[in-house]
Amino acid sequence: MKIEIVETTPIEGQMPGTSGLRKKTKVFMTPHYLENFIQATFDALGGAAGKTFVVGGDGRYFNKPTIQVILRMAAANGAVKVIVGQDGILSTPAASHLIRLNKTDGGFILSASHNPGGIDEDFGVKFNADNGGPAPEKLTAQIFAATKAIAEYKIVATNDVDLQSVGQTHLGDMVVEVVDPVASYQVLMEKLFDFAAIKSLFAGGFTMRFDAMHAVTGPYATAILERSLGAPKGTVVNGIPLEDFGKGHPDPNPIWAKPLMDLMMSDDAPNLGAASDGDGDRNMIVGRGAYVTPSDSLAILAANAHLAPAYKGGLAGIARSMPTSAASDRVAKKLGIGSYETPTGWKFFGNLLDAGKVTICGEESAGTGSNHVREKDGLWAVLLWLNILAVRKQSVAEIVSEHWQTFGRDYYSRYDYEDVAIEQANKLMEELRAKLPDLVGQKYVGLTVSSADEFSYLDPVDGSVSKNQGLRLGFEGGARAVFRLSGTGTQGATIRLYLEQYAAQGEDFTMDTQVALQKVRLAAQTICEMQSYIGRLKPDVIT
Ligand code: VG1
Ligand code: CO
């Protein structure tokens, strides 16, 4: 094995965002770009010598060449073993599980998740630590520091490793173990859920459509839903992962999963509709005529989790990201368990899960998961819903409606303003930040501001502090607006405006969401002077 030492120089901007380093694919394809980042990651870990890793991705364009580079660099840096998904495929939750199952030193997940794929679209590399979770901020800061200090990287010159057949090969002294991407994940799901109950649900005529959006969940959903649980063939649609996701946005929400939404709102709707994203960690749940917001889904799953075998002893606590609605807090309160509010991004749940403080976590962006892995898990959420439906023998709409009767309803919507000039977006945020101290008590569009602050998180486990995590405006009467800048985009800035309005028991639960949120939206847009800073009020995407 011949190790080459390649001289290089630091490349600007290799700072991991909310979830790994995401850039245009062509940026990753420029000389040394990928290699620098991988070497920096090894350097931040104190070297790769003697270590084991998991590697896989969502199958998008540039996934396979990237895996070959990581294998050659891991071998050159002295790693002893790398576990790779067959054909380079691993969903994010499956990769997290493999890291934990095999007690590896971490893993590389190659994905830009819900962002489109292809040579002109997006690519991403994320390092997950030995607990299976996304690198915490301390580690991403070390990786970034290493990208700025890099002078050389190590790689072996060799032919591509065959990733098509399951089994062990060698790259120099390093073992490359190619594994079935689905098998061990499926075993885990069988342990968590009552597969017999879900099987009889399908056998009794329950119908479902799962839209894999041409992304990584296809093989997992087909194996588990159709082959193991007996859902009819054709339940899973768009089930073959494609390098460009069929030119779509693999983002499971009513906008990008419109064909599924249309079906679910029609007379031909099956009992359950579900979808997941590029790398399989997000989920969308929709019943017949009943879309379930991710914030509600988190609350409903938490309130009913005890119906599934893995959670029958109850939950230790519930965590949600700050912009996620307060619906899950109400469930935690009723259950008498802890509830936690973290910054956006799954990496902030890791410590709480590791410390046993929470069992279930979720984000408004369609991510839900539990302590079974250290990532959000799209198919897990779908299976938990199926388990609940099998036990309660009610429709999705009935379950949602009963939940609101008990806890009240949190009307919720997110507005995304994409590709805003970075200076304009920063200006809007800066000016709003400066105004915060004077807002309380003031009235806008009939709503009185009751609180205004910038979210900062003190991790109760390791004491670390994460600042600048979003600007929050609370209003009398249970409305809230949150502003933050996205950390996953690859072009310009994306401003996210999160809106919610609580309706307590006895109030009207039948309003159109946008109507229910009209006041808080107008108040938020007025306070931040949106029109004058970015020249528009209309968002690109409303979810
Ligand atoms: C978005 C979501 C966040 C999620 C992140 C990664 O981040 O808002 O909740 O954790 O994507 O999800 P941002 O910074 O763009 O708002 V995934 O499925 O794209 O890895
Ligand atoms: Co994702």
Side-chain angles (χ1 to χ4, degrees), residues 18-19 22 112-115 126 277 279 281-282 321 344-346 363-365 376 414 484-489 496 498:
T18 311
S19 182
R22 288 189 197 176
S113 188
H114 55 287
N115 299 12
K126 182 168 68 158
D277 71 332
D279 60 331
D281 55 1
R282 296 188 181 197
S321 67
T344 295
W346 210 262
E363 296 192 278
E364 54 65 44
S365 55
K376 51 192 189 269
R414 186 177 96 188
R484 60 178 281 284
L485 297 181
S486 158
T488 57
R496 301 204 196 285
Y498 309 81

Side-chain angles (χ1 to χ4, degrees), residues 93 97 184-196 198 224 305-312 359 369-373 377 379-381 383-384 387-388:
H97 178 52
S184 56
Y185 177 83
Q186 179 164 349
V187 171
L188 176 63
M189 293 301 119
E190 283 165 5
K191 270 194 227 150
L192 300 177
F193 301 115
D194 187 345
F195 268 45
I198 305 175
I224 294 174
H306 62 280
L307 301 176
Y311 312 102
K312 66 173 190 292
T359 309
S370 87
N371 58 355
H372 68 290
V373 289
D377 187 342
L379 200 47
W380 169 89
L383 290 168
L384 182 49
N387 200 145
I388 292 165

Side-chain angles (χ1 to χ4, degrees), residues 120-196:
D120 293 315
E121 299 293 350
D122 293 354
F123 192 74
V125 176
K126 182 168 68 158
F127 183 75
N128 279 30
D130 56 2
N131 72 341
E137 281 197 322
K138 187 168 171 247
L139 180 52
T140 54
Q142 285 165 339
I143 296 173
F144 183 48
T147 68
K148 293 196 282 191
I150 196 163
E152 59 183 41
Y153 63 82
K154 289 187 193 146
I155 191 160
V156 298
T158 164
N159 294 334
D160 280 359
V161 179
D162 169 23
L163 300 179
Q164 277 178 336
S165 7
V166 167
Q168 282 201 357
T169 47
H170 280 83
L171 210 176
D173 298 333
M174 188 180 84
V175 175
V176 178
E177 188 181 342
V178 179
V179 298
D180 178 328
V182 179
S184 56
Y185 177 83
Q186 179 164 349
V187 171
L188 176 63
M189 293 301 119
E190 283 165 5
K191 270 194 227 150
L192 300 177
F193 301 115
D194 187 345
F195 268 45

Side-chain angles (χ1 to χ4, degrees), residues 112-335:
S113 188
H114 55 287
N115 299 12
I119 189 164
D120 293 315
E121 299 293 350
D122 293 354
F123 192 74
V125 176
K126 182 168 68 158
F127 183 75
N128 279 30
D130 56 2
N131 72 341
E137 281 197 322
K138 187 168 171 247
L139 180 52
T140 54
Q142 285 165 339
I143 296 173
F144 183 48
T147 68
K148 293 196 282 191
I150 196 163
E152 59 183 41
Y153 63 82
K154 289 187 193 146
I155 191 160
V156 298
T158 164
N159 294 334
D160 280 359
V161 179
D162 169 23
L163 300 179
Q164 277 178 336
S165 7
V166 167
Q168 282 201 357
T169 47
H170 280 83
L171 210 176
D173 298 333
M174 188 180 84
V175 175
V176 178
E177 188 181 342
V178 179
V179 298
D180 178 328
V182 179
S184 56
Y185 177 83
Q186 179 164 349
V187 171
L188 176 63
M189 293 301 119
E190 283 165 5
K191 270 194 227 150
L192 300 177
F193 301 115
D194 187 345
F195 268 45
I198 305 175
K199 241 185 206 168
S200 17
L201 181 72
F202 281 119
F206 181 91
T207 52
M208 173 176 185
R209 173 169 292 184
F210 183 97
D211 191 339
M213 305 189 83
H214 299 293
V216 81
T217 327
Y220 296 84
T222 309
I224 294 174
L225 298 174
E226 294 187 5
R227 286 204 286 278
S228 175
L229 291 169
K233 267 212 169 78
T235 297
V236 177
V237 299
N238 302 321
I240 312 263
L242 299 177
E243 287 202 329
D244 65 352
F245 308 118
K247 303 223 181 305
H249 274 248
D251 195 350
N253 63 40
I255 307 300
W256 299 116
K258 189 160 184 304
L260 178 64
M261 275 304 277
D262 290 346
L263 173 72
M264 296 310 296
M265 299 301 144
S266 77
D267 292 342
D268 304 324
N271 299 100
L272 178 67
S276 70
D277 71 332
D279 60 331
D281 55 1
R282 296 188 181 197
N283 71 91
M284 177 169 98
I285 299 292
V286 46
R288 262 191 189 147
Y291 169 68
V292 187
T293 70
S295 293
D296 275 354
S297 182
L298 169 66
I300 292 167
L301 291 180
N304 292 279
H306 62 280
L307 301 176
Y311 312 102
K312 66 173 190 292
L315 309 177
I318 306 170
R320 62 166 172 85
S321 67
M322 182 275 282
T324 304
S325 92
S328 63
D329 301 2
R330 301 178 217 290
V331 174
K333 195 164 172 218
K334 177 148 188 250
L335 294 175

